[in-house]
Amino acid sequence: MTDEPLRIGVLGAARIAELSIVGPARVTGHRLVAVAARDRSRAETFAAEHDVERVLDSYADVIADPEVEVVYNPLANGLHGPWNLAALAADKHVLTEKPSASSTEEAIEVRDAVAKAGTAFMEGFHYLFHPVTRRLHELLDSGELGELRHVETTMVMPAPEDTDVRWSLPLAGGALMDLGCYSLHAQRVLAPWAGGAPRLVAARGGERTGAPGVDEWLDADLEFPGGATGTARCHMAHHELQFSYRIVGSLGEATAVNFVQPHVDDRLLVRTATGERTEMLGRRSSYTYQLEAFAAHLRRGTPLRLDADDAVATMRLIDDCYQGAGFSPRPRTVLPTSA
């Protein structure tokens, strides 16, 4: 095995790609070999600004390119599933934005396609790789916080424009899909300290005015097998931005102030009987840690912390929350045969 650079193809010219793949690839020395967008001029601008080696005519062309070994999918939520399936059918490794699909049914199809392809697949919950979250879990592991009692994950932000795809039901929009997937995943990964994965107890949500079926906010109450409780909150039209992760144990508590943007705020606040302290864990991008982990798996066989089974479990909890709050799971996007 070698540590030669990954050869990455990018689907779309989304702004998030600048933070999630362009910067990390530049820092770590991996190649962005191809990009395509619905508007070729946008792809050309993106390629020129970010040193992508070439522009192709379509997403299908990126997937078919023999030099592309990893497909990065940052498209709208409803396009994650179908293009992940297309990339896997072409035997490509896939790094996808979250969630990996529009529904549990589609996520299971993606998981089955991963097994058939035998390639690597990872849903991009980048926060999990950063020292902020790793340290939060270490505090549980060390016993300093005692036994897990309660978890609060909060993902709230001011509203995007009404025309934003995140408000589109056909494209699997909604607060839970865009923000709440982080809230739920951050609770799910506490299973080793909680006697197992959490189950939904109750959910409440509110619909976006002018967007029937799309959740503007959704709160979920969870319960772990060991007796701990959880509250997972998301709101996509809030008066402030807050992305926090709070763990309460029998001996103390710890809060990551901004667990999904540690490059903005890397503070971890710890309070126990011995006092209070603030730990600073570094503002290196969590996306960079994520790309390093994916590359280590592909080049050296290092195990991945996230896989297609994990993606299915998260999607199942998302669908449970939608149904519990009176919403329907997101509809599936069917690509045109000429895509």
Side-chain angles (χ1 to χ4, degrees):
M1 296 185 180
T2 68
D3 279 338
E4 67 178 78
L6 299 182
R7 304 184 307 279
I8 303 168
V10 182
L11 305 184
R15 184 176 300 175
I16 188 178
E18 298 178 17
L19 177 67
S20 58
I21 201 69
V22 171
R26 184 177 296 120
V27 168
T28 54
H30 298 294
R31 294 169 56 195
L32 301 178
V33 300
V35 64
R38 288 178 300 167
D39 180 346
R40 185 183 173 94
S41 65
R42 288 187 64 229
E44 290 171 345
T45 298
F46 184 91
E49 291 178 350
H50 303 304
D51 299 321
V52 183
E53 295 174 22
R54 60 183 177 276
V55 175
L56 300 179
D57 290 333
S58 69
Y59 304 151
D61 288 338
V62 171
I63 289 171
D65 190 316
E67 194 168 8
V68 170
E69 62 172 327
V70 175
V71 172
Y72 171 63
N73 183 354
L75 299 171
N77 290 335
L79 299 177
H80 290 169
W83 286 111
N84 289 341
L85 288 167
L88 292 165
D91 294 328
K92 305 293 185 178
H93 304 297
V94 175
L95 175 59
T96 180
E97 284 305 320
K98 77 297 296 172
S100 65
S102 297
S103 66
T104 303
E105 179 183 19
E106 190 175 43
I108 290 171
E109 288 185 32
V110 171
R111 181 183 64 187
D112 292 346
V114 172
K116 181 178 180 180
T119 53
F121 176 88
M122 190 166 81
E123 190 176 33
F125 282 109
H126 52 96
Y127 80 93
L128 192 61
F129 300 94
H130 197 276
V132 165
T133 297
R134 296 204 327 258
R135 177 61 176 149
L136 196 59
H137 295 168
E138 285 172 2
L139 291 172
L140 277 174
D141 220 22
S142 70
E144 183 175 1
L145 300 182
E147 295 182 359
L148 181 65
R149 295 286 177 79
H150 184 67
V151 190
E152 295 175 2
T153 46
T154 301
M155 294 288 299
V156 302
M157 60 174 276
E161 296 293 329
D162 288 342
T163 55
D164 195 288
V165 296
R166 286 172 286 183
W167 296 125
S168 168
L169 184 62
L171 288 175
L176 187 61
M177 293 290 281
D178 190 65
L179 298 175
C181 61
Y182 282 104
S183 292
L184 295 177
H185 191 270
Q187 303 242 357
R188 283 193 53 255
V189 297
L190 296 180
W193 300 280
R199 69 173 185 87
L200 179 68
V201 175
R204 304 159 298 282
E207 188 174 74
R208 175 69 172 176
T209 300
V214 177
D215 49 309
E216 182 175 275
W217 65 274
L218 194 146
D219 295 344
D221 301 326
L222 306 171
E223 183 178 63
F224 293 86
T229 59
T231 57
R233 182 186 181 205
C234 62
H235 199 309
M236 207 158 64
H238 204 261
H239 66 276
E240 65 176 357
L241 186 148
Q242 181 185 349
F243 298 154
S244 62
Y245 190 179
R246 178 174 176 247
I247 290 178
V248 180
S250 58
L251 299 177
E253 65 178 69
T255 300
V257 177
N258 192 337
F259 76 105
V260 299
Q261 294 180 329
H263 61 281
V264 174
D265 191 337
D266 63 334
R267 287 177 297 156
L268 186 65
L269 311 179
V270 183
R271 185 174 68 182
T272 67
T274 61
E276 301 181 11
R277 68 180 186 272
T278 299
E279 299 185 10
M280 314 292 284
L281 281 304
R283 297 198 175 189
R284 188 173 188 256
S285 170
S286 50
Y287 290 102
T288 300
Y289 285 103
Q290 173 179 262
L291 185 57
E292 286 177 333
F294 199 58
H297 175 71
L298 294 181
R299 294 294 183 253
R300 300 193 296 277
T302 304
L304 283 177
R305 298 186 66 187
L306 299 169
D307 59 17
D309 287 325
D310 185 79
V312 169
T314 298
M315 197 68 240
R316 182 172 284 119
L317 187 54
I318 288 172
D319 282 353
D320 287 347
C321 289
Y322 270 134
Q323 292 170 341
F327 290 91
S328 297
R330 306 298 85 174
R332 182 173 190 151
T333 300
V334 178
L335 299 179
T337 56
S338 59

